[in-house]
Amino acid sequence: MAARNPGVEFDPSWIQSVHVNLPATKRRAEQLGIRRTVKKHYQAAWELRAVTCIDLTTLAGDDTLSNVNRLCFKAKNPVMRELIKAMDVEDLGITVGAVCVYPNRVADAVRSLKAAGASHIPVASVATGFPCGQTPLKTRLEEIRLAVEDGAREIDIVINRQMALTGDWKGVYDEVKMMKEACGEAHLKTILATGELGNLVNVYKASLVCMMAGADFIKTSTGKEGVNATLMVGLVMVRAIREYFERTGYKIGFKPAGGIRSAKDACTWLSLMKEELGDEWTRPDLFRLGASSLLIDIERQLFHFVYGRYAASHEIPMS
Amino acid sequence: MASSTPAQPSNSIKDVFKSLQYGPAPEADNVAQAWLDDHDRSFGHFIDGKWIKPEGRKTYQTKNPSTGQTLAATLQGTQEDVDLAVKSSKKAYESWSKTPPHVRARHMYSIARHLQKHHRLVSVIEAMDNGKPFRETREADIPTVIRHWYHHAGWAQLMDTEMRGWKPVGVVGAIVPWNFPLMLLTWKVCPALAMGNTIVLKPATYTRLSALLLAEICSEAGLPPGVFNVITGSGQMGSLLASHIDVDKVAFTGSTQVGQTLRRLVAGTGKKLSLELGGKSPVVVFESADLDSTVEGLVDAIWFNQGQVCSAGSRLLVQESVYSKLVDKLKTRLTHFRLGDSLDKSIDMGAIVDESQKKSIDEFVEDARREGAEVYQATSCIPTRGCFYPPTMITNVQTVSRVVAEEIFGPVLVVLPFRTAKEAITLANNSMYGLGGSVWTENVSLAMEVAICIKAGTIWVNSHNMFDAAAGFGGYRQSGFGRDGGKEGLYEYVRPSWESRPRPSDVDLDLKTFGATIASRPTLSNGTKEGEIPLIDRTYKMYYGGAQKRPDAPYSRPVINPDGKVVGHVGEGNRKDVRNAVEVAHAAAPGWGKRAAHNRAQIVYYMAENIEIRREEFATRISEMTGKSMEDSLREVDITLSRLFHWGAYCDKYGGSVQETTLYGATIKIHEPVGVIGIACPDDYPLLGFVSLFAPAVVRGNTMIIIPSEKYPLLALDLYQIFDTSDLPGGVVNIITGNRDHLTKYLAEHQDIQSMWYFGGIEGSKYVEYISAENVKRTWVSYGFDRDWEDTEQGQGEEFLYHSIQVKNIWVPMGDVFAN
C-alpha cells in the first residue's frame, strides 16, 4: 500500500488556476462508457473486481443490529459460493472493500464482522454531521473520535459546503486538517457533496483542498444530494487526483457513491479509473464504490455468465 | 470473429481479475456478411433502380483494412456506364424536378426511416469496408447520415417558401472520398434531391459498399428509379462523369489537387461546381483552457477516424506558458490508446484505409524525423496484423516544415507554441487551407474573437469535429467553396429561376495569349471635325487606395462615343496597377469588415444622395457616351439609386443566424465577407452595371478591384468623386481601367484575390474559371450571356448576396450548471 498522504501547505494560487469546461468534460464522460466495454469472462472478472471495491452501505434511520449483522455476513460472502466455485476463483477470497454505517452502528458492525470471521474487512463510518455537516465543528470532530474509538478504520466526513460556496477554501482546508488529526490511524475519506457545489470548478477546487489537507480518499456524494455520482463529476475529481499526484507524488483514492446500481455502471467506473489514473487505481486501496443495491445486480450478471440464464432477485441472498 | 489485438498470455477469470485487462469485444458481422452473400460478393452499378452488370468490365476487390479480408468485387465503370447512368438521371429529372415538394419530402422522410431500420447493418458495412471503428460509424457517421435525410426532407417540403426565386440545376455528378463514405455522399445527395435534382454518384475506390447499400435502401424506400444512381469506377471515371455534357453540376469532396483538376475540367462549360477539399486545421489552446478536456478534444480532433478527416485538428498551437504541460498530458493520454479491428468495441482507433495511404503518412513522419523533429508514437498499441498506423505527435517543428504546412490525412499531430492571442491568430491563418479550427479557453470573449479571426468555414469552441445537417460545412481558401448542409448548402444545388443553364459554345482557349494587349498608339484623327473647337483634353486617372493614380506604365486608351468622337482618355492598366490595387484593398479589408453595419449603410445611402444631386449630369453622360436616349439614361440613373437603397438596406439584415443543430449551445452562422473581390463589369449599363456589382459586395464588407465597362468607363470614374464625398474609406473600392481581359488575367491569377466576378465573353469566362483553380478562388462568370440589369431578379437577386458572403459556422457548446 502506498504511503499515506500527509497533506501539503494550503496553496491558494493552485486553487485559483483551475479551469474546467463542463460540455467538454461531459463529452469525455459520455465517451468512457462507449469507448470501452468488456464481454464474456472479461466482464465476469471485472465484475468480481468491482465487488472487492464496494463499500457495502446502509445509512438509514431505522438501522439496527439485525440488518447491520446481515450486511456484514453478506460483506464476507458477497457472491454466491456456487458461482465462485464455477468461476474457479475460490482462492481469491473475494469480499467487499468495507462495510459503511452510521457512527452509532460502528460497534455493531465491528462485532458482526468478528462473528462472521471477517475482521479483516474494515468498518467505515460516516461522520461530521452526515449528510449536511450543519453541526458545530466541536461535535463534528468529537463524532470522528467516537467512531474511531468504536473501531471504525475508515471515516467518511462531509466538507463544509457553506465555506466552499462562499469561497472560504482556507476554512475548508483547516477543518479537514483537524478532521484528519481526529482520525488518527483511520483513513479519511472526504465527501464533497458535489451536487451542492454549484459548478465543476468548485468540484475540482474542493478536491484539491481536501487532498492538500490530507485526505486519503475523495468521495463524490453522501447519496442524499439531488445529483450523486455521475461520471462527469467523477472525471473532474480523478483529474484532480492525477494533478495532485503529479505535483506531490501522493496517491489519493477515489470513491463515487450514490446512484451506482448496475454492473455495467460499475465496470464503466473501473474503466474510468484505469483510463484516467492507471491500473493501480482500480484496487480497493485506491478505489471504492459506495453502494447498497449494486451487489445484487453484479451477482445476477455473474449468475448469467455461469448458467447462461438470468436469476430472479429473490434467488440472490439479500444484504 | 477473431480480434486482431495481441493475444494475452493467459486470460482466465482469475488472471483478468488480477490484471484488469480489456478483452476482445467484437460486434457481430453476420448480417453484413449475409448481405454480401446475397449479392454473391459481386456488385454492379445501381442504375435506374436496378443492378446493372455490363460485360467485360474490370473489377476492384474491396477489402477490410483491419483484416485484409476481401469483402466483395465491384465494377470499374467505363464511359458507356457513365452515359447510361447520366441518361437515366436526365430522364428521371423530368419527373423528379416537377414532383411536388411535399412528395419529395415524403420520399426523403421514407429513406430516413429505412436507414434507421438498417442502422446496425449500415454501421457494420461502413466499419468493415473503411477500417474505421464501428463505435464511430454507429455513434457518429450513421446518425449524421440519418439526421441529414430528415433535415433535408424538411428542405424539400419548404422549397417553395424558403427558396423562392430558385430552381433545381438538373443532373448532379457527385464524387466523394473514402474517409466518411456514406456521410459525405449523403451531404451531396440530400440537398440535391431536396431541391429537385437527380444525381449520379461515384463513390471512392476503396469504399464503395455503403453507397451501393444506400442505393438499395433508397429503392426499398420507394425512391423512383434514376433519381439516385451509383456507378463505381476509378478516378478517371470520375472525370468522365464530371465532363459529361448532360451533367449540370459537379459536387466534389476530396483532395485539393483533384479539386483543382475538376475546376479546370469544367471551366467554361456553364456547370455549377462545389468543392470541399483538404485542410490543416488549427487547434488553438490558451493558458485559460481546461487542459484535461483539451486533451480529449485533441483525441476528437486528430485521432477521430485515424486522422483521416478533412477538418482534422492537425496543427496544435499552444500558448507557451502551458506548452510542456499539455504535451506531457498528451503523451500520457497516448499510453492507454487502443487500436484494433474496426468491429472491436473497445478501441480508440481503427485501421488506415489502405497500405498506400499508410505509406504516404509514414513518408511525412520520416521526413520530419530527418529534419530533426521529435516524433512521439504510441507503438505498443499496434495490432500484429492489419493496416495500422500509431497515433503520432510531432514536436520541435516549425512553420517551415512540410508536416506543418501540408495535409497528412493520418493520425499525426504537429505542435507549435505561440506567445499571444495575436500571434496565435497569425499562426492559425498561416496556411493555404481554411476548413476548420478550434479554440480552447474558458474566456468567452477571447474565444469569440479568435473564432471570428480564424479564416475557416467552421470553428468549434472547446470542441472539435462536430457535424450536423443544420450547419453548413466547407472551406475558405484552398479548402474549397460551397457548403454541405444547412440552408447555405442548398444554394449549391439551385440556380436563379430566371436563368437557364448556360451552355456556352466550346472555345479554344490559349492560356498564354489570353489577355495579351498592346496599348494604343497615336493616330492622325482625334475625331474632332474641321472647324470645331477642340475639347479640353480629359484624361482620367485610375482610382485606388482612395486616391487618383496614374497608370504604372504611362499608356492610355481613348474612349470613343458612338459618333466616333474621342470623349476622353483613361489609363491603360497593367499587372502592376492590379498588384498595387490588391495591396490597398487588403489593407482596407479588416477595417471595412469590422465597420458597424449601420455605418456601411449610411455610406451607401449617402452615395445615392450624392448621385441624386447630379442626376441629370449622370444621365447626360450616359447618353453622350452610349448613344442611349435621355429618357433611357435617366431611367438607368433612377434604377441605380433604387439599387443603392436596396443594398444599403441589406447592410444590417444579412449577417447570419443561429442554426438549429443538435448541439446544446449556440451554432452561430456568420455571413463573412469573401475578402478581396475582382470584378469585371459588363460593357452595357456603364452606371447601373457597375453599381449593381460593387454595391452588394461593399455592403457585405468586401473590398474590391473593379474593371469598369471597357467601352464606357467614364461613368465609373465619375463615381470616385461620389465615393470621396460619401465618406467611403480609401481602398474599399478600387477602379482600374483598361482592357478588360488583360486586367482580368492578372486579377484571376492573383493568389490573394478571393473571388473573381467576370461579366464578359465566353473565352474570358473560361479563362477565369480555369486559372482560378490555382488558389481555388470562387468565381462568378457570365459565359458571354447578357442579363437584364434593369430587372430586379436579374440585377439584384439573392444570387448577389450568395456571391458576396462566405459562411462561417461557430459552434459554442454551453453549460456550467449541473446540480443545485
Side-chain angles (χ1 to χ4, degrees), chain A:
Chain A
M1 195 155 160
R4 280 187 72 184
N5 173 30
V8 297
E9 285 290 310
F10 179 71
D11 180 352
S13 69
W14 192 352
I15 312 282
Q16 279 151 18
S17 66
V18 170
H19 303 291
V20 183
N21 182 270
L22 184 142
T25 308
K26 187 162 173 242
R27 183 172 160 76
R28 168 61 173 159
E30 285 164 356
Q31 289 276 305
L32 278 163
I34 50 173
R35 272 184 188 258
R36 296 289 183 267
T37 183
V38 279
K39 296 286 170 208
K40 309 226 161 77
H41 66 271
Y42 284 88
Q43 185 181 347
W46 279 57
E47 284 162 357
L48 286 173
R49 175 68 79 82
V51 168
T52 65
C53 296
I54 291 177
D55 276 4
L56 198 60
T57 303
T58 183
L59 293 170
D62 59 358
D63 285 341
T64 67
L65 173 62
S66 63
N67 74 310
V68 169
N69 193 261
R70 186 166 66 232
L71 190 80
C72 290
F73 275 71
K74 182 74 180 177
K76 191 202 172 191
N77 301 290
V79 179
M80 290 156 76
R81 283 196 195 90
E82 61 187 269
L83 297 179
I84 293 285
K85 192 153 184 272
M87 289 185 284
D88 189 25
V89 291
E90 290 136 302
D91 55 346
L92 291 178
I94 286 172
T95 69
V96 299
V99 167
C100 182
V101 294
Y102 267 118
N104 269 4
R105 299 274 73 77
V106 169
D108 289 346
V110 170
R111 270 199 300 279
S112 299
L113 283 169
K114 196 174 174 193
S119 292
H120 58 285
I121 299 176
V123 172
S125 172
V126 297
T128 68
F130 182 93
C132 298
Q134 295 280 22
T135 54
L137 179 62
K138 191 175 171 188
T139 62
R140 281 184 278 148
L141 292 172
E142 193 58 19
E143 217 185 314
I144 294 173
R145 290 187 199 104
L146 294 172
V148 172
E149 263 175 40
D150 278 355
R153 305 218 300 263
E154 300 174 1
I155 300 291
D156 292 20
I157 64 102
V158 290
I159 65 161
N160 188 323
R161 272 89 96 190
Q162 176 258 326
M163 286 175 168
L165 286 171
T166 54
D168 183 7
W169 294 109
K170 178 71 165 62
V172 175
Y173 174 88
D174 289 340
E175 278 197 6
V176 173
K177 209 170 152 76
M178 282 185 257
M179 291 169 183
K180 166 95 172 182
E181 276 164 25
C183 281
E185 286 304 302
H187 278 229
L188 173 67
K189 302 195 197 109
T190 55
I191 303 173
L192 308 186
T194 54
E196 291 178 353
L197 291 183
N199 59 52
L200 294 182
V201 171
N202 276 349
V203 171
Y204 199 102
K205 287 180 177 175
S207 302
L208 286 181
V209 167
C210 289
M211 292 186 284
M212 287 181 200
D216 296 297
F217 264 76
I218 53 176
K219 176 175 167 183
T220 57
S221 339
T222 61
K224 315 285 185 192
E225 292 89 47
V227 176
N228 293 305
T230 63
L231 285 167
M232 179 179 75
V233 164
L235 190 56
V236 172
M237 291 174 67
V238 299
R239 283 171 172 175
I241 290 173
R242 185 168 62 210
E243 194 187 4
Y244 187 79
F245 171 67
E246 282 163 3
R247 283 227 202 169
T248 69
Y250 292 109
K251 292 171 185 162
I252 308 304
F254 175 62
K255 177 177 171 184
I260 302 166
R261 291 188 185 90
S262 75
K264 167 83 183 151
D265 286 350
C267 288
T268 304
W269 279 107
L270 273 173
S271 181
L272 179 149
M273 299 305 287
K274 185 178 170 73
E275 295 294 317
E276 296 290 328
L277 293 171
D279 287 336
E280 232 185 316
W281 264 275
T282 60
R283 301 190 179 97
D285 56 336
L286 287 172
F287 179 59
R288 296 288 177 79
L289 287 155
S292 43
S293 59
L294 168 65
L295 186 52
I296 299 287
D297 191 58
I298 291 182
E299 256 187 298
R300 292 180 72 194
Q301 294 299 326
L302 292 171
F303 185 97
H304 181 265
F305 171 72
V306 169
Y307 297 114
R309 48 181 202 277
Y310 291 102
S313 303
H314 65 254
E315 293 174 298
I316 310 287
M318 62 186 279
S319 54

Side-chain angles (χ1 to χ4, degrees), chain B residues 707-763:
Chain B
I707 312 161
S709 164
E710 182 180 308
K711 267 162 98 182
Y712 316 118
L714 300 188
L715 260 305
L717 299 174
D718 288 335
L719 277 178
Y720 58 62
Q721 292 165 350
I722 300 284
F723 295 154
D724 286 343
T725 47
S726 307
D727 303 331
L728 183 73
V732 173
V733 179
N734 306 284
I735 304 171
I736 306 288
T737 51
N739 178 286
R740 175 168 53 221
D741 286 350
H742 182 68
L743 295 169
T744 292
K745 172 181 159 69
Y746 293 113
L747 283 170
E749 280 177 0
H750 201 297
Q751 305 226 154
D752 210 3
I753 281 189
Q754 282 68 48
S755 185
M756 182 69 207
W757 301 356
Y758 178 84
F759 289 80
I762 304 170
E763 197 190 8

Side-chain angles (χ1 to χ4, degrees), chain B residues 228-299:
Chain B
F228 171 47
N229 289 321
V230 180
I231 51 174
T232 58
S234 63
Q236 209 174 6
M237 194 198 74
S239 295
L240 295 177
L241 174 61
S243 49
H244 195 288
I245 189 159
D246 286 328
V247 165
D248 301 295
K249 142 99 198 181
V250 176
F252 174 74
T253 297
S255 71
T256 294
Q257 205 185 351
V258 174
Q260 288 170 316
T261 305
L262 286 171
R263 168 72 287 181
R264 292 181 190 114
L265 196 65
V266 304
T269 63
K271 293 178 189 187
K272 274 180 78 101
L273 176 69
S274 55
L275 301 172
E276 197 268 90
L277 310 175
K280 191 77 186 178
S281 300
V283 176
V284 183
V285 183
F286 290 95
E287 60 188 5
S288 48
D290 169 357
L291 294 183
D292 286 310
S293 288
T294 305
V295 168
E296 299 306 327
L298 281 157
V299 171

Side-chain angles (χ1 to χ4, degrees), chain B residues 33-103:
Chain B
Q33 297 290 359
W35 179 72
L36 293 173
D37 288 339
D38 287 346
H39 289 272
D40 297 322
R41 296 183 181 263
S42 166
F43 290 85
H45 305 301
F46 196 88
I47 301 173
D48 225 27
K50 298 183 291 285
W51 290 106
I52 306 271
K53 246 190 233 181
E55 291 298 312
R57 300 288 181 270
K58 286 183 186 148
T59 58
Y60 173 83
Q61 306 285 333
T62 190
K63 284 187 187 139
N64 178 339
S66 43
T67 62
Q69 181 207 0
T70 298
L71 296 172
T74 52
L75 289 189
Q76 295 294 78
T78 62
Q79 179 73 57
E80 207 181 313
D81 304 344
V82 172
D83 290 345
L84 190 68
V86 174
K87 193 177 162 200
S88 152
S89 288
K90 193 181 174 190
K91 184 162 161 278
Y93 177 73
E94 293 307 314
S95 53
W96 183 251
S97 59
K98 294 184 188 74
T99 302
H102 173 62
V103 178

Side-chain angles (χ1 to χ4, degrees), chain B residues 572-745:
Chain B
E572 184 78 68
N574 68 11
R575 71 184 160 84
K576 289 189 179 168
D577 298 306
V578 168
R579 177 200 63 192
N580 295 345
V582 173
E583 295 299 318
V584 296
H586 271 289
W592 185 241
K594 276 185 201 154
R595 277 282 173 120
H598 173 68
N599 186 236
R600 288 204 298 265
Q602 278 185 311
I603 291 170
V604 174
Y605 289 132
Y606 198 12
M607 285 179 195
E609 201 180 307
N610 285 323
I611 292 174
E612 164 99 285
I613 295 166
R614 294 164 60 182
R615 179 172 174 265
E616 299 282 331
E617 181 198 332
F618 271 96
T620 308
R621 173 76 91 168
I622 293 170
S623 180
E624 275 176 7
M625 264 199 352
T626 64
K628 269 190 194 176
S629 72
M630 196 55 195
E631 190 190 348
D632 286 351
S633 302
L634 278 168
R635 193 175 63 246
E636 183 173 343
V637 177
D638 289 342
I639 296 173
T640 298
L641 296 174
S642 152
R643 199 140 287 169
L644 281 169
F645 261 62
H646 179 83
W647 293 120
Y650 260 114
C651 271
D652 55 2
K653 294 169 189 72
Y654 204 70
S657 58
V658 172
Q659 309 271 38
E660 304 196 54
T661 63
T662 47
L663 178 76
Y664 178 65
T667 307
I668 305 161
K669 174 172 78 167
I670 297 184
H671 288 158
E672 294 199 333
V674 176
V676 174
I677 303 178
I679 303 175
C681 293
D683 273 336
D684 47 356
Y685 292 103
L687 178 66
L688 181 59
F690 183 98
V691 168
S692 297
L693 289 166
F694 101 83
V698 105
V699 301
R700 294 315 321 160
N702 300 282
T703 60
M704 63 218 66
I705 295 98
I706 310 192
I707 312 161
S709 164
E710 182 180 308
K711 267 162 98 182
Y712 316 118
L714 300 188
L715 260 305
L717 299 174
D718 288 335
L719 277 178
Y720 58 62
Q721 292 165 350
I722 300 284
F723 295 154
D724 286 343
T725 47
S726 307
D727 303 331
L728 183 73
V732 173
V733 179
N734 306 284
I735 304 171
I736 306 288
T737 51
N739 178 286
R740 175 168 53 221
D741 286 350
H742 182 68
L743 295 169
T744 292
K745 172 181 159 69

